[in-house]
Every structure is written in C-alpha cells, then in structure tokens.
Amino acid sequence: MQSNDPTASNEAPGQQGETGSAELEALKSRIAELETSNVELRDTVLREKAEIENQRRRLHRDVEQARRFANEKLLNELLPVYDGLERGLQVEGGDIASVREGIALTLKSLLKIAENNGLVQVDPLGQPLDPERHHAVSMVEAPGAAPNTVVNVLQKGYVLNDRLLRPALVAVAKE
C-alpha cells in the first residue's frame, strides 16, 4: 500500500536517523559559523563607532581652535598700527603738521590692512543714492547736482567681502 503523505520519506528507518543527525550537525556547524561572523561584525561596528567618535572629537577641537585664533592674522597685522599710535602719543611738543602727517600715515596703514582682509570703504560722494549701500539722513538744496545724488557723506560705509557691514550716512540733493 502506498502512502499519500508527502512528508514521508522513501528511505528506510535506519537511514532516516543518520540523515537527520547529519542535517543537525550541518545546522550546528552553520550556527557556529554565523555566531563567529556575528562576533566579527559586532567587533567591526564597535571599532568603526569608536573611530567616528574620535573623528568627531578631533573635528570639534579643530573648529574650536580655528574659532579662537581666527583673528590672529588680522591682529598681527594691526600691531604696527598700534605701535605707531603709541609712539605718536609719546611725542612731546610736536607741531600740528607733523602730528597730522603721522595720523594720516597711520590711517593709511590701517585702511591698507582692512582692504587686505576684505574690507572696502564706501564713499559715494557724487554718486546716485543706492538704498542698498547708502542711508540718506537728509535732503539738501544743491544747485548743479542731479536729484537724489549724494552731495555730502556724513559717515563712510563699509563692505566686507561683498556684504554690507555698515551703510554710508549721506545727504542727497533735493528734486
């Protein structure tokens, strides 16, 4: 008589025990391989995580150092200006012309340092009013000047690397 059980094996009962035990050994061997692989992967992940944390700490330290010493170059360039001003204050009994000349040279030096660091002076005298860069504080009668033209600069403006730092305070010609 034939069995209709699809799970039934055509093997003899003795062979079935040997095959089951071989499969069990193969599965145990596979489990051991997977556990070993799992341990290796866990170790790799922990090492990578530690490396990322170390990189994060180094980056944080480097950013902090850069922030703390970002102005070092600029300040180093300003030291001669500072020294010149101190020397000028130490002079006793100089005439007005030489003091004025010393201040002019110091200002020129200071402006050169500022330009080297991206600062540009906005002096719009005679130019049309630009509301993006100029702040009109008054309108005055100015015969011979076109309307809305800057006729007096009360305070120069400054642009730092193409971004307005301070608008120029100006007086403009009336219509």
Side-chain angles (χ1 to χ4, degrees), residues 29-99:
S29 172
R30 181 71 179 137
I31 288 172
E33 288 174 20
L34 291 174
E35 285 176 345
T36 302
S37 175
N38 189 20
V39 167
E40 290 172 1
L41 289 174
R42 182 177 289 132
D43 187 48
T44 301
V45 166
L46 288 175
R47 270 195 236 111
E48 293 295 326
K49 185 177 177 182
E51 179 62 29
I52 289 171
E53 183 63 24
N54 288 340
Q55 285 179 348
R56 187 190 64 76
R57 281 191 200 118
R58 279 192 299 270
L59 180 63
H60 179 71
R61 184 188 66 230
D62 291 348
V63 167
E64 181 64 22
Q65 287 289 91
R67 186 189 61 76
R68 287 180 65 208
F69 297 106
N71 295 331
E72 182 177 15
K73 179 180 177 264
L74 171 64
L75 293 172
N76 197 29
E77 290 178 21
L78 286 174
L79 289 176
V81 175
Y82 175 79
D83 294 338
L85 287 171
E86 274 190 337
R87 280 192 302 273
L89 287 173
Q90 291 172 355
V91 172
E92 303 270 340
D95 65 355
I96 297 295
S98 64
V99 170

